Amino acid sequence: MRVLVAEDEEILAELVATGLRRAGFAVDTVYSGDAALAYLGLHDYDVVVLDRDLPRVHGDDVARRLIASGSRTRILMLTASGAMEDRVAGLDLGADDYVTKPFEFPELVSRVRALRRRSVRPVPPQLERHGIRLDTVRRSALRDGRELDLSPKEFSVLQLLLEADGGTVSAEELLERAWDANADPFTGAVRVCMSKLRAKLGEPALIRTVQGVGYAL
């Protein structure tokens, strides 16, 4: 759900981030290796889209440090070189996948989504519970056959609740997984989003508040 894009070409970084957000991911962008390490130390990302040729700290060194830390963050490495030797070198560093520039954006989104599934316990592309069916690839949601018109944020929150399989998800975890680093934890964003999501799901109510703990489906 949460992706870090580390790419020193700022226009490309923002284009990638915009496309990933449209696909439902919460995305942060950085333009140097030292900034990437700082963000990776602060937030729990599912995937980092990592350019190899980053300034200040090379992308290879970012990958080495991330792997040495024992992080579960998956690494999708970007490079301008499509030579086999470079692909092998990147994968040998510990990268989980490798994409050469230029690339087709739908493929990049698909690869990020696939890596995200590997960063946590396996999750099927379709999630179902209490009459709700969520297709995480087509980004569609139904309740008892009725199509739900959800915003990207509402979809992400509902997905996290479904993935919890009846367990409780805290507001802090929702904020961490579904919002980016610019989210203000004191704005009540989770509460507002949850209120809108409950209204769209309709009756009978499915999302319950566990006082002092979080939310459960």
Side-chain angles (χ1 to χ4, degrees):
M1 304 290 283
R2 191 162 186 179
V3 180
L4 177 65
V5 176
E7 164 62 60
D8 67 326
E9 297 180 39
E10 295 189 21
I11 294 176
L12 177 59
E14 295 306 324
L15 285 173
V16 170
T18 298
L20 289 172
R21 290 186 186 112
R22 288 175 179 167
F25 294 97
V27 186
D28 297 321
T29 54
V30 293
Y31 314 117
S32 63
D34 55 343
L37 289 171
Y39 270 63
L40 288 164
L42 287 172
H43 305 290
D44 184 17
Y45 292 99
D46 297 294
V47 179
V48 55
V49 179
L50 180 65
D51 181 34
R52 283 193 77 180
D53 296 318
L54 289 173
R56 294 201 283 275
V57 177
H58 196 274
D60 289 358
D61 292 323
V62 174
R64 289 189 188 98
R65 295 188 201 182
L66 184 62
I67 293 162
S69 72
S71 172
R72 294 190 305 172
T73 300
R74 300 296 181 179
I75 301 171
L76 175 60
M77 194 164 273
L78 296 180
T79 183
S81 174
M84 182 188 69
E85 294 81 2
D86 289 313
R87 293 199 303 271
V88 170
L91 293 170
D92 282 347
L93 282 169
D96 299 280
D97 203 352
Y98 201 96
V99 174
T100 57
K101 304 174 188 176
F103 48 82
E104 296 294 330
F105 199 80
E107 180 185 4
L108 180 69
V109 172
S110 180
R111 287 173 180 265
V112 169
R113 190 179 287 121
L115 287 179
R116 189 264 163 181
R117 289 196 295 268
R118 290 166 53 188
S119 70
V120 293
R121 66 181 178 84
V123 176
Q126 291 194 359
L127 299 165
E128 294 187 51
R129 188 177 180 85
H130 299 313
I132 295 178
R133 175 177 293 181
L134 209 68
D135 189 320
T136 62
V137 176
R138 294 182 175 85
R139 306 291 294 174
S140 63
L142 303 172
R143 179 175 184 183
D144 298 327
R146 173 176 61 90
E147 187 171 356
L148 301 172
D149 183 19
L150 303 181
S151 71
K153 200 67 65 184
E154 291 159 359
F155 190 98
S156 295
V157 168
L158 183 57
Q159 181 176 344
L160 287 166
L161 292 172
L162 284 166
E163 288 180 0
D165 198 23
T168 303
V169 184
S170 69
E172 291 78 11
E173 183 177 353
L174 289 171
L175 193 66
E176 172 71 18
R177 308 307 302 160
W179 277 262
D180 60 28
N182 296 316
D184 185 344
F186 303 107
T187 60
V190 173
R191 176 177 50 79
V192 172
C193 181
M194 196 64 69
S195 176
K196 292 179 179 178
L197 179 58
R198 281 170 162 153
K200 290 183 179 181
L201 289 175
E203 298 293 336
L206 291 178
I207 300 173
R208 59 189 176 90
T209 300
V210 182
Q211 197 63 36
V213 180
Y215 303 91
L217 190 67

